[in-house]
Amino acid sequence: MMKNGPRIGSLTSVPRRRFLKLAGAAAVVGASGKAISASNGKVRIVISKADPVASGPATMWAVSQLRQEFAEKHIVSEIVPSEPQVDDSGLVIIVSAHGPQATPGFSVPTQPLPPESIRIVPGQVGRVSRYLVSAPDERGLTYGLLELADRVKCATSSSLDLNLTNLVEESPANRVRSVARAFCSEIEDKAWYYDKDFWREYLSMLAAQRFNRFNFALGFGYDFPRGVTGDYFHFPYPYLVTVPGYDVRVVPLAEGERTRNLETLQFIAAETVARGMQFQLGIWTHAWAWTDSPNSDHHIEGLTAETHAPYCRDALAMLLKACPEIEGLTFRVHGESGVPEGSYAFWQTLFSAVANCGRKVEIDMHAKGINQIMIDMAAQTGMPVKVSAKSWAEHMGLGYHQADIRELEIPRAERAETGQFAVSNGERRFTRYGYADLFQEGRKFDVLFRLWPGTQRHLLWGDPELAAAYGRSASFCNAAGLEICEPLTFKGREGSGQSAGRCAYVDKTSQAGINDWSKFEYTYRIWGRLLYNPNSSPEVWRRYLNRKFGSGALAAESALANASRVLPLLTTAHLPSASNHSFWPEMYKNMPIVPGMERPLYSDSPSPIRFGTVSSLDPQLFSSIAECAEDLLHDGSNPKYSPIETAQWLEDFVSASESAWREAQERSGNLPQLRHWQEDIRIQVGLGRFFAAKLRSALLFEIQQRTSATQAGQLALLEYGRARQAWASLAEQARNVYIPDISYGSIPMRRGHWADRLPDIDRDFEAMRTAVAASSPSEGGKNAAADQAIRRITGKAQRLSLQCQHTPPSRFVPGQALVLNLRIDSGTTTVSSVDLYYRHVNQGERWTSLRMEQKGVQCVGSIPASYTYSPYPLQYYFVVRSEKSACFHPTLNVLKLFDNVPFITQ
């Protein structure tokens, strides 16, 4: 705890940068396709051998990328050791880690920059344009040079000039910006694993988008070693090394394959580091014996329970020695690792390999089931320690951190387990799907968020607003940043791999081959650049879109952005299962509205398990259908965002996306590159239309069941019919785009096609028809509460809107009361009460509230001294109520996806 108290924190803000302009001509490409010099139009890149950072391997790789882009434009470039003393119209790019103060002729502030920052400074000597690319480290220089390379590449004109009139300066908002790629299927993944050209292009793309860590994940194919079939690399060590003293082997494994696997891993690690990124190896499974798996492709021989831990230690030690570029290791340390929770001797043995490797290697432990014993054990190695927490469970919500976890994640004595999951399903249950209690003052470990592939995994995604919101929230409470499980993660998992191609297109000419990442190039761009700088100018991604779509670029951006908001909003507002293993909203397996239809699909939904009782993933801010129905019928003033509002937002996204796409088509014509965008946008638009109608239908059905209101039942059927039609339409569209079996797992809810889901929708629709018909009707007009509820459900969503002003205090002192003020300009609205809600930044705790004192337009409340005396930051928000309505401050602006809920104080 800080002596003078923690400071009030705000999400990292990076000043908006100014960008290079492309106009004029450093070299003009003539009709012959050759460079036409304006006098001597050669580009000279100045790198002094006396500058070890500027001449470092990652910097020189970035220089090669820049020169390659110049060459594509038929512009001649060369590397020189010092600035040439010539007076011509050429272009000089000076690369220096010493900054402008050490380079004559440049005028710029000399304040030092934080790590990984870039500074590009313009200058002029006679007719020679000079540009200084400077940074405090090699990674920053790499980013500066790749920025220039990207601008050259995306230039659509044959007239090219890199004249800058303003200083360009950027610094990272997040210390870690990571992408995880998993090997899950021997059938689908071996081809890209062994292909060196794949890795060169893929890793170059990641570096260009300013990701600074690449995590290659092994052992991701199963959660449990039961019913195993496709198991290649699942227990990775014997696929990579032969450990002296142990006769451990994979059966079958072709001769020489182990050597080839290790050589490939060494290549991947070296190529990652050569591009200025950290190479992280993920080892998610330490199980070695499969159970109930007669059809496994391989099995491990030569291990026993007694030799398991020492073998893993010695194998890991060999890997660290063979791959000196490994800078970090990610471990799953809960029961799904194959090691029972509480088996501390195993982890202590394994960690000793890291402690004795002779260099700094980070230990990154997955947060589920983490406790102080594991943290202390990792810290005792003397190595840097990270604990990586799930962001929005195993899904993708809106761009803020959920205000609370679901009730099912709260530890309860009746839920406690023993054995394999004694910790994560016991007193540490709340670590399973969030940041838990990790943000204690004075912690000796870093926290990293990980975005799991539950919500979005197969369809093209791209929303700059949401990516920027994640970029701001990733440094929540000084967290290190965010790791993204990339698109297509878990494709072919659980032995479901197929030879049809990972993108699973019907049209084979649409397949990208092993370069499946190229479909998602725009996704990587906005994630990487906006995690680095959430305030980046839209020009960062629009130059790419302009090159791809021409005059239709802005409309295409809007169409995809609005379509991409559908599933993150749904995930936030309505989540049947926190597990990505179960709930896959892209290819939703219908959850019945009508109770008693079938065995529940999801085990972690509230009872009785049906669509109407499903909780939000943030139950503190969003209400369920059942909760909303109760409020509507009893005139409750609940400030939570309701299913009515969620449905309205979904409909707005759908409308905006469709309108923008029509404009994109009109402006861009029949460009072939529009096709794949169109296909995935149309599917996501269809999903938005389906879920909006189903939410309204379920809410109307809830009203009908509680009141027997005939109109509510009829309207519920009408809305469900609209939902059914939306699904049938998107399934028919998808039938011509994607193969009948898109496989992310072995059971039906993890594989198949949208068309497969329609029969379940039809069964539920017919069950609703039967239930409505069987209900005793109430006379129209006799149930005023039901009539009013129907009007609100079928109308436009409305919310109390007041002008509220609050300035968070600059700091608070633990052990002293924290006084908070809120000013409300309510106009003609009478404010009946104002409540302050507060909680430690600890998901193991629940929110506390108190009534604020109203003094005219000013409201005052105080968080007690006894509560502030804790090792945690505080978070709080306000609820303002009128006679029949209520609202939050700060508000959650879903349309802009701002990440300012709730206020955070540190």
Side-chain angles (χ1 to χ4, degrees):
M1 194 178 301
M2 296 175 62
K3 184 176 181 181
N4 296 320
R7 293 173 295 173
I8 299 295
S10 62
L11 296 170
T12 303
S13 178
V14 184
R16 185 175 296 277
R17 61 169 290 181
R18 296 167 128 179
F19 286 83
L20 313 181
K21 297 179 180 179
L22 295 177
V28 181
V29 180
S32 66
K34 296 182 180 180
I36 299 176
S37 298
S39 182
N40 181 11
K42 182 181 293 185
V43 176
R44 298 175 177 90
I45 302 171
V46 182
I47 299 178
S48 170
K49 292 182 179 179
D51 186 338
V53 177
S55 58
T59 307
M60 295 307 296
W61 168 80
V63 169
S64 73
Q65 298 297 292
L66 176 57
R67 295 189 69 199
Q68 180 178 322
E69 295 305 334
F70 278 130
E72 290 290 328
K73 302 289 185 181
H74 304 287
I75 300 171
V76 178
S77 67
E78 65 177 353
I79 300 173
V80 296
S82 61
E83 188 171 356
Q85 299 298 312
V86 294
D87 184 18
D88 58 27
S89 59
L91 175 66
V92 175
I93 299 171
I94 304 168
V95 184
S96 172
H98 301 304
Q101 65 274 17
T103 309
F106 292 97
S107 176
V108 69
T110 59
Q111 70 271 19
L113 293 172
E116 302 186 29
S117 300
I118 70 167
R119 182 180 275 157
I120 305 175
V121 189
Q124 189 84 21
V125 174
R127 291 183 300 161
V128 179
S129 297
R130 302 163 74 235
Y131 306 103
L132 172 66
V133 178
S134 66
D137 52 25
E138 193 171 357
R139 192 171 281 164
L141 288 179
T142 299
Y143 294 156
L145 290 162
L146 293 176
E147 170 71 14
L148 299 184
D150 189 55
R151 289 178 167 275
V152 175
K153 179 178 182 178
C154 291
T156 56
S157 172
S158 61
S159 176
L160 176 64
D161 192 0
L162 294 181
N163 278 322
L164 286 87
T165 57
N166 298 302
L167 169 72
V168 174
E169 198 169 281
E170 283 191 285
S171 297
N174 295 287
R175 301 190 305 279
V176 176
R177 307 171 302 280
S178 182
V179 168
R181 185 177 183 94
F183 187 110
C184 290
S185 167
E186 184 173 7
I187 295 172
E188 298 200 9
D189 298 343
K190 254 189 173 181
W192 57 256
Y193 177 70
Y194 289 136
D195 193 287
K196 292 184 176 181
D197 285 338
F198 163 83
W199 286 110
R200 292 185 183 102
E201 293 182 36
Y202 172 74
L203 294 171
S204 294
M205 178 274 297
L206 294 183
Q209 305 314 329
R210 302 189 188 175
F211 291 104
N212 64 357
R213 187 175 100 156
F214 172 62
N215 191 336
F216 184 51
L218 301 175
F220 238 9
Y222 291 86
D223 286 344
F224 308 98
R226 184 184 307 115
V228 172
T229 55
D231 53 5
Y232 202 89
F233 274 145
H234 194 54
F235 180 59
Y237 301 121
Y239 287 91
L240 295 163
V241 292
T242 300
V243 184
Y246 305 88
D247 185 22
V248 177
R249 58 204 173 278
V250 180
V251 178
L253 191 68
E255 186 175 351
E257 194 161 338
R258 182 186 292 109
T259 299
R260 187 185 184 193
N261 287 340
L262 179 59
E263 289 174 349
T264 302
L265 183 65
Q266 291 169 321
F267 174 82
I268 298 166
E271 291 291 309
T272 301
V273 172
R275 287 157 176 76
M277 294 185 290
Q278 174 183 328
F279 181 74
Q280 190 90 2
L281 181 63
I283 303 177
W284 285 79
T285 295
H286 280 88
W288 56 275
W290 316 150
T291 58
D292 301 325
S293 304
N295 299 314
S296 64
D297 293 340
H298 310 83
H299 62 277
I300 310 299
E301 293 183 351
L303 265 184
T304 66
E306 291 72 29
T307 61
H308 180 219
Y311 166 78
C312 291
R313 174 199 62 206
D314 295 346
L316 180 58
M318 287 188 68
L319 274 179
L320 291 173
K321 184 177 180 180
C323 296
E325 294 87 359
I326 294 175
E327 298 179 63
L329 295 161
T330 298
F331 296 111
R332 175 165 53 182
V333 296
H334 60 81
E336 290 173 22
S337 68
V339 179
E341 293 171 3
S343 301
Y344 301 117
F346 173 86
W347 295 108
Q348 189 162 27
T349 300
L350 183 70
F351 288 170
S352 67
V354 187
N356 298 321
C357 73
R359 66 179 190 275
K360 184 172 74 172
V361 174
E362 173 191 282
I363 296 175
D364 171 12
M365 296 181 291
H366 185 48
K368 180 177 177 179
I370 200 76
N371 60 16
Q372 197 62 46
I373 297 172
M374 288 297 301
I375 291 171
D376 290 344
M377 192 182 301
Q380 287 168 7
T381 64
M383 298 296 177
V385 176
K386 277 190 175 69
V387 177
S388 43
K390 293 173 181 174
S391 175
W392 288 105
E394 293 180 3
H395 297 278
M396 179 181 173
L398 298 178
Y400 73 101
H401 290 285
Q402 59 195 115
D404 206 355
I405 56 177
R406 304 184 311 161
E407 196 280 333
L408 288 163
E409 273 76 72
I410 299 170
R412 306 286 189 203
E414 63 272 17
R415 296 178 184 145
E417 294 183 13
T418 58
Q420 193 81 4
F421 296 93
V423 180
S424 64
N425 279 347
E427 63 179 13
R428 303 292 292 170
R429 186 181 181 89
F430 65 105
T431 64
R432 301 195 316 163
Y433 296 123
Y435 59 75
D437 57 354
L438 298 175
F439 287 114
Q440 296 187 45
E441 184 81 15
R443 60 185 181 272
K444 296 181 180 179
F445 58 91
D446 217 342
V447 178
L448 176 69
F449 291 106
R450 181 170 289 115
L451 186 61
W452 282 72
T455 301
Q456 300 275 171
R457 62 178 67 156
H458 199 80
L459 301 175
L460 180 66
W461 183 91
D463 180 16
E465 288 277 9
L466 185 52
Y470 267 87
R472 297 184 186 98
S473 64
S475 57
F476 176 82
C477 292
N478 200 35
L482 182 71
E483 178 170 279
I484 298 165
C485 291
E486 67 172 8
L488 303 180
T489 294
F490 294 155
K491 184 69 177 69
R493 199 173 189 236
E494 299 176 333
S496 66
Q498 304 175 69
S499 59
R502 297 183 81 219
C503 291
Y505 285 123
V506 170
D507 182 0
K508 300 305 180 185
T509 63
S510 298
Q511 299 287 7
I514 59 173
N515 291 319
D516 51 74
W517 60 267
S518 63
K519 170 183 174 176
F520 304 95
E521 194 170 7
Y522 180 66
T523 305
Y524 288 105
R525 176 177 287 260
I526 60 173
W527 270 125
R529 294 301 296 266
L530 290 167
L531 282 174
Y532 180 86
N533 179 4
N535 297 321
S536 291
S537 166
E539 196 272 342
V540 165
W541 55 89
R542 285 177 183 167
R543 61 185 179 230
Y544 169 86
L545 295 177
N546 287 334
R547 180 169 175 256
K548 192 176 184 73
F549 299 125
S551 62
L554 288 177
E557 174 192 332
S558 177
L560 181 60
N562 278 282
S564 296
R565 294 171 184 171
V566 165
L567 295 182
L569 172 60
L570 177 75
T571 295
T572 304
H574 178 94
L575 192 82
S577 176
S579 170
N580 78 85
H581 207 52
S582 300
F583 181 51
W584 181 14
E586 278 184 329
M587 199 179 293
Y588 174 71
K589 189 166 176 59
N590 196 58
M591 187 178 194
I593 295 175
V594 180
M597 279 287 297
E598 57 185 37
R599 182 177 62 84
L601 286 171
Y602 310 106
S603 60
D604 61 330
S605 270
S607 294
I609 298 178
R610 56 185 175 85
F611 191 83
T613 60
V614 167
S615 168
S616 161
L617 188 45
D618 186 355
Q620 192 68 20
L621 300 186
F622 286 80
S623 63
S624 69
I625 289 168
E627 186 179 1
C628 181
E630 184 73 13
D631 292 334
L632 289 171
L633 292 174
H634 296 92
D635 213 14
S637 58
N638 191 339
K640 293 183 181 182
Y641 301 103
S642 71
I644 305 172
E645 290 171 284
T646 299
Q648 183 68 63
W649 286 324
L650 290 172
E651 290 161 353
D652 292 344
F653 294 154
V654 164
S655 177
S657 181
E658 288 185 320
S659 176
W661 190 251
R662 285 192 296 269
E663 181 182 349
Q665 289 180 307
E666 290 170 2
R667 289 179 173 272
S668 297
N670 295 318
L671 290 175
Q673 53 265 42
L674 282 173
R675 179 186 171 194
H676 290 155
W677 278 49
Q678 172 179 290
E679 290 157 349
D680 285 7
I681 287 172
R682 290 171 69 182
I683 291 172
Q684 290 175 90
V685 161
L687 291 170
R689 190 173 280 116
F690 168 81
F691 282 115
K694 188 173 181 183
L695 286 168
R696 292 190 192 274
S697 175
L699 192 48
L700 286 161
F701 183 73
E702 195 77 26
I703 298 297
Q704 191 272 338
Q705 291 292 287
R706 292 172 185 238
T707 66
S708 298
T710 303
Q711 186 186 15
Q714 293 170 341
L715 290 172
L717 285 167
L718 179 64
E719 290 291 345
Y720 211 170
R722 289 172 177 162
R724 193 265 180 205
Q725 181 55 45
W727 192 276
S729 178
L730 76 87
E732 187 59 33
Q733 292 165 7
R735 194 188 302 274
N736 298 319
V737 179
Y738 290 107
I739 63 175
D741 185 16
I742 304 172
S743 54
Y744 283 82
S746 59
I747 64 174
M749 67 166 41
R750 295 194 279 277
R751 67 188 306 166
H753 192 275
W754 292 270
D756 302 340
R757 277 47 174 171
L758 198 56
D760 287 342
I761 297 172
D762 288 339
R763 278 192 291 272
D764 194 34
F765 179 79
E766 291 303 320
M768 179 183 287
R769 190 195 303 275
T770 300
V772 169
S775 177
S776 299
S778 64
E779 295 182 28
K782 296 293 186 179
N783 193 330
D787 292 342
Q788 181 175 330
I790 291 168
R791 286 193 295 272
R792 292 183 62 181
I793 295 168
T794 57
K796 285 281 187 179
Q798 296 182 346
R799 169 167 288 272
L800 177 64
S801 178
L802 300 172
Q803 294 295 318
C804 298
Q805 299 176 23
H806 168 70
T807 302
S810 60
R811 63 177 63 235
F812 79 92
V813 179
Q816 294 185 16
L818 177 62
V819 179
L820 299 170
N821 296 279
L822 179 69
R823 177 187 173 91
I824 305 173
D825 296 321
S826 58
T828 59
T829 302
T830 300
V831 174
S832 59
S833 66
V834 182
D835 293 321
L836 167 65
Y837 282 74
Y838 57 93
R839 193 195 71 177
H840 298 124
V841 181
N842 178 355
Q843 292 176 326
E845 300 180 7
R846 311 279 64 78
W847 287 81
T848 301
S849 66
L850 57 83
R851 183 60 48 87
M852 299 184 75
E853 182 181 356
Q854 295 179 244
K855 299 177 181 179
V857 296
Q858 296 288 343
C859 302
V860 180
S862 179
I863 299 178
S866 59
Y867 196 86
T868 69
Y869 190 75
S870 97
Y872 296 100
L874 295 172
Q875 52 188 164
Y876 61 94
Y877 64 90
F878 307 98
V879 171
V880 183
R881 287 185 170 85
S882 64
E883 182 180 357
K884 292 185 177 181
S885 189
C887 66
F888 292 119
H889 183 72
T891 59
L892 180 66
N893 190 333
V894 174
L895 293 177
K896 284 293 184 182
L897 304 168
F898 289 159
D899 53 335
N900 58 349
V901 179
F903 292 111
I904 305 294
T905 71
Q906 293 180 306

